[in-house]
Amino acid sequence: MAGHSLTINNQTYNVEIKGETTLLWVLREHLGLTGTKYGCGIALCGSCTVHLDGKPVRSCTLPLSALKKDQKITTIEGLSQNGDHEIQKAWIEAQAPQCGYCQTGQIMQAAALLTENPNPTREEIKTYMNGNLCRCGTYLRILRAIEIAAEKIAANT
Ligand code: FES
Ligand code: FES
């Protein structure tokens, strides 16, 4: 057991957990941040996606021991103050979710995309979102939501 200091959604958490524990289980089981979902557990589905210093990572395979002290973790709970990130608003407008299970990861991946590339082409969106799977097949609506958000971001800049 070792002490770890984590910065999650701009809050500091001190946890006493084994270093091999993955970030996903720390978030869900120890900190009650259950918005991040467990899907495959082997970095193949994207449902556990969070941001590490703004970049999307699969938290199901990221052990605490791999995190550096000053790295900032953002989960769906911290993506925006009131659920009003352009991506979240566009998700509602496009009615993207079906069962909803994969959608946290989809939103986190899409938010990272638009930070890196605010005006992506359809092909760039498909490539970036390729590792985020949806059993309900909401891919077209996700694509549309990302385009809506990109349009809003372009209109606001
Ligand atoms: S649960 Fe992490 S990628 Fe599937
Ligand atoms: S909305 Fe059901 S798995 Fe994606």
Side-chain angles (χ1 to χ4, degrees), residues 8 12 21 23-25 32 35 46 53 56 66 85 92 109 112-113 131-132 135 137 143:
I8 304 171
T12 303
T21 310
L23 178 60
L24 176 62
W25 293 114
D53 289 338
H85 188 288
I92 293 169
Q109 184 79 15
L113 163 64
N132 285 74
R135 283 181 306 180
L143 198 54

Side-chain angles (χ1 to χ4, degrees), residues 24 37-49 58-61 131:
L24 176 62
K37 302 300 183 199
Y38 171 69
C40 64
I42 50 172
L44 289 178
C45 76
S47 68
C48 66
T49 304
R58 306 305 192 224
S59 62
C60 69
T61 52

Side-chain angles (χ1 to χ4, degrees), residues 97-103 106 133-136 138:
Q98 195 165 318
C99 81
Y101 198 85
C102 71
Q103 300 287 325
Q106 305 277 5
L133 307 183
C134 174
R135 283 181 306 180
C136 301
T138 63

